[in-house]
Amino acid sequence: QVQLIESGGGLVQAGGSLTLSCAASERTFRNYLMGWFRQAPGKEREFVAVLNWGGGIIMYADSVKGRFTISRDNAKNTVYLLMNSLKPEDTAVYYCAASGHLGPTSNSNLYNYWGQGTQVTVSS
C-alpha cells in the first residue's frame, strides 16, 4: 500500500508561483508513474502532469504546458509540481497519484493510489 501526502498548497495572486510536493511512503516509489490531477468546484477531476520513474518521459495537459513543471526525487520518495504564472482558473484541489501502468497516462482510472489533496487558490 502506497501512501501519498501532498503539501505546498495555498493562496497566491495571479501570476505567482507555488510548488507542490508529494511524499510517498513506499520504498518502491521509483517503480510507479507519478501524476498530478486537479479538481475544481463543480468540475470533474482532470489530468495535469505525469512522469515515469526515471523522469525521462513527461506529459502535461495543454492548459498547463509551459507553466508547470513536474519532477521527482526517487531518493526522497517525493514528486514535485512547480507552478508558475498561475491563473485564477488553476484554482482547484490538487492530487498526486501513483500508477503501476507501463507508460505515462492521463487516465485517472489507471492510477492505483491517491493522496488526500491540497488546495490551491489563485486570486485575480
Side-chain angles (χ1 to χ4, degrees):
Q1 184 79 12
V2 177
Q3 292 184 327
L4 303 173
I5 301 176
E6 301 98 335
S7 61
L11 174 64
V12 64
Q13 288 188 331
S17 299
L18 278 177
T19 298
L20 304 183
S21 300
C22 174
S25 62
E26 174 61 52
R27 66 177 182 273
T28 57
F29 162 82
R30 67 184 61 204
N31 295 334
Y32 293 92
L33 298 176
M34 294 301 299
W36 287 96
F37 291 78
R38 66 187 182 186
Q39 187 167 20
K43 295 187 178 182
E44 293 187 352
R45 188 172 297 186
E46 65 172 357
F47 166 76
V48 174
V50 62
L51 80 170
N52 68 333
W53 71 270
I57 302 176
I58 296 175
M59 190 165 66
Y60 295 99
D62 288 342
S63 59
V64 306
K65 203 172 292 183
R67 300 187 298 122
F68 290 11
T69 302
I70 187 172
S71 61
R72 66 192 294 168
D73 185 337
N74 288 334
K76 295 182 178 179
N77 286 1
T78 301
V79 64
Y80 305 96
L81 185 68
L82 169 61
M83 305 184 294
N84 292 324
S85 302
L86 283 162
K87 304 174 182 180
E89 51 263 45
D90 293 318
T91 295
V93 177
Y94 283 71
Y95 299 89
C96 72
S99 171
H101 196 257
L102 290 179
T105 177
S106 59
N107 185 347
S108 61
N109 293 323
L110 297 178
Y111 285 79
N112 310 91
Y113 306 102
W114 293 83
Q116 82 288 350
T118 185
Q119 176 70 47
V120 171
T121 303
V122 184
S123 63
S124 57

